[in-house]
Amino acid sequence: MRVGVPSEIKPNEHRVGLTPSAVREYVANGHEVIVQTSAGQGAGYTDETYVKAGAKIVADADAVFAGAEMIVKVKEPQKVEWEKLTEKHILFTYLHLAPDPAQTEGLLASGCAAIAYETVTDATGGLPLLAPMSEVAGRIAVFSAAETLLKHNGGMGLLLCGVPGVPPARVAVLGGGVVGINAARMAAGLGAEVVVLERSIPRMRQLDDLFQGRILTRYSSLDSVEDEILKADVVIGAVLTAGAAAPTLVKREHLKRMKPGSVLVDVSIDQGGCFETSKPTTHAEPTYTVDGVVHYCVANMPGAAPRTSSDALGHATLPFGLALANHGLDALKTNPHLAKGLNVLKGQLTHPAVAQALGKPSVDPYGVWG
């Protein structure tokens, strides 16, 4: 199969869909890889390293989309990209369609098969292609919160870790999944007081064992969420329902009762955000303030560490990408976990949660395949 890697064009996005190491694996499996010039530059990979790995370098995205059967990206395609897609293409990338009807309509109109990293599953019910970026985002969320708490960045002027005789910040983490665990690990490691709110009692037991009393856990209810966000100096939103829009946990009415200069970090922003007042921001302008509360809602947090993120994502996606390259869409018929990643096929939505979030019907992909 001809596999194409275009440069990412979302603002401040420096990750790359395939690293040179991944390209070498594809080539070793008999595939041709086409890489747009400078696609890996932001992650520290030169065109020369791709050529050495066996890739062909082309001048622009038009050449990538025209020459490739499978497009491997990181972020969801922008309008100028989805307009290049056709029914011949398999698109393999993050999509986050639930809060993005415009992209959804663009992909449906293209006729392509669009497979979303964030809805591929594994044997334990996990999301293996979302996990590495969730690990990065959870850790970056704490660094970003610590920086945003400083007075010159709009925060209350509080040092996250405190100093002897002065208490540290209190960090409330909404959700005990991969993002939440990593955020809690970093915040506790920096010396913050941490509470994780979670609805799965087995997960809370796991967190209790993992952190050995260094963090608090609370069952997530309307009462406990309200109680903790009013106490918190930092609130990290880390909730996820695969394929669906994130639930809204913090309402506008809460903000006036929160501490002035406190910080909300919405890691769920790719799925619409879990704070009512959330809107996507960028690394160039990451924050805004509503009712005295600073919001950090960067929609591609892992993009701040493109080398680490590209490597971690590449390791996770490689076996699935190779399966698609080796077998085409037949790989989905034999791998139910990869099949869960299929969101769009031949102009129809195939993922029930995505379709429900968008108010559209979904179809059984096996019926579309025939």
Side-chain angles (χ1 to χ4, degrees):
M1 183 176 285
R2 295 187 303 278
V3 180
V5 183
S7 295
E8 296 295 322
I9 60 173
K10 193 165 185 175
N12 300 295
E13 180 54 70
H14 302 292
R15 288 173 288 179
V16 63
L18 292 180
T19 64
S21 176
V23 167
R24 186 177 179 187
E25 298 290 339
Y26 276 86
V27 172
N29 277 264
H31 305 294
E32 179 184 350
V33 182
I34 306 166
V35 178
Q36 183 177 348
T37 185
S38 301
Q41 185 173 340
Y45 297 117
T46 64
D47 287 353
E48 289 73 18
T49 60
Y50 281 102
V51 171
K52 185 177 180 181
K56 175 184 176 182
I57 303 298
V58 296
D60 52 34
D62 286 342
V64 172
F65 282 83
E69 300 160 277
M70 181 166 78
I71 302 295
V72 181
K73 283 177 41 60
V74 178
K75 291 303 291 178
E76 69 278 2
Q78 306 301 291
K79 185 175 186 293
V80 295
E81 294 176 308
W82 75 59
E83 289 176 343
K84 301 181 196 300
L85 292 167
T86 69
E87 62 277 0
K88 78 170 186 178
H89 286 116
I90 297 172
L91 174 66
F92 193 37
T93 189
Y94 288 116
L95 293 177
H96 300 293
L97 293 180
D100 194 347
Q103 183 201 168
T104 303
E105 292 299 334
L107 294 181
L108 291 172
S110 76
C112 77
I115 300 166
Y117 293 159
E118 72 272 11
T119 61
V120 173
T121 61
D122 62 21
T124 66
L127 302 172
L129 307 192
L130 190 62
M133 296 303 91
S134 295
E135 291 167 344
V136 174
R139 298 176 186 215
I140 285 178
V142 175
F143 297 146
S144 300
E147 184 72 14
T148 305
L149 271 177
L150 301 180
K151 195 69 175 178
H152 66 276
N153 290 322
M156 65 176 69
L158 183 68
L159 187 63
L160 186 81
C161 57
V163 294
V166 181
R170 185 175 177 93
V171 178
V173 181
L174 307 182
V178 178
V179 171
I181 287 175
N182 281 272
R185 184 194 304 275
M186 296 306 297
L190 290 171
E193 182 181 6
V194 181
V195 57
V196 177
L197 294 101
E198 170 60 51
R199 287 201 164 186
S200 166
I201 293 174
R203 176 50 64 93
M204 285 190 281
R205 291 194 180 106
Q206 180 185 2
L207 290 169
D208 191 56
D209 289 341
L210 178 64
F211 289 100
Q212 295 290 299
R214 290 186 294 129
I215 68 166
L216 304 173
T217 57
R218 289 190 70 176
Y219 183 82
S220 181
S221 65
L222 294 174
D223 282 343
S224 64
V225 169
E226 182 173 280
D227 183 44
E228 289 298 338
I229 65 175
L230 298 184
K231 292 178 184 177
D233 304 300
V234 172
V235 180
I236 296 176
V239 294
L240 173 71
T241 302
T248 300
L249 300 183
V250 177
K251 306 287 189 180
R252 174 72 184 263
E253 64 196 49
H254 291 133
L255 300 189
K256 291 181 181 178
R257 299 164 57 200
M258 293 177 66
K259 297 178 183 179
S262 57
V263 175
L264 298 178
V265 180
D266 198 341
V267 189
S268 303
I269 192 64
D270 280 327
Q271 291 294 122
C274 63
F275 309 140
E276 185 178 9
T277 45
S278 289
K279 60 183 181 181
T281 61
T282 67
H283 291 292
E285 296 183 26
T287 64
Y288 60 94
T289 301
V290 179
D291 293 337
V293 176
V294 187
H295 293 55
Y296 184 101
C297 303
V298 174
N300 59 333
M301 290 185 194
R307 183 61 174 258
T308 297
S309 297
S310 296
D311 284 349
L313 182 60
H315 298 156
T317 60
L318 181 61
F320 296 96
L322 282 177
L324 287 167
N326 289 338
H327 305 291
L329 292 180
D330 284 344
L332 280 64
K333 298 178 183 179
T334 58
N335 185 334
H337 302 300
L338 180 55
K340 291 286 188 182
L342 186 66
N343 282 205
V344 175
L345 180 64
K346 296 182 179 179
Q348 299 185 74
L349 289 172
T350 58
H351 195 288
V354 171
Q356 182 178 9
L358 291 162
K360 290 181 173 290
S362 65
V363 300
D364 183 344
Y366 292 97
V368 180
W369 279 317

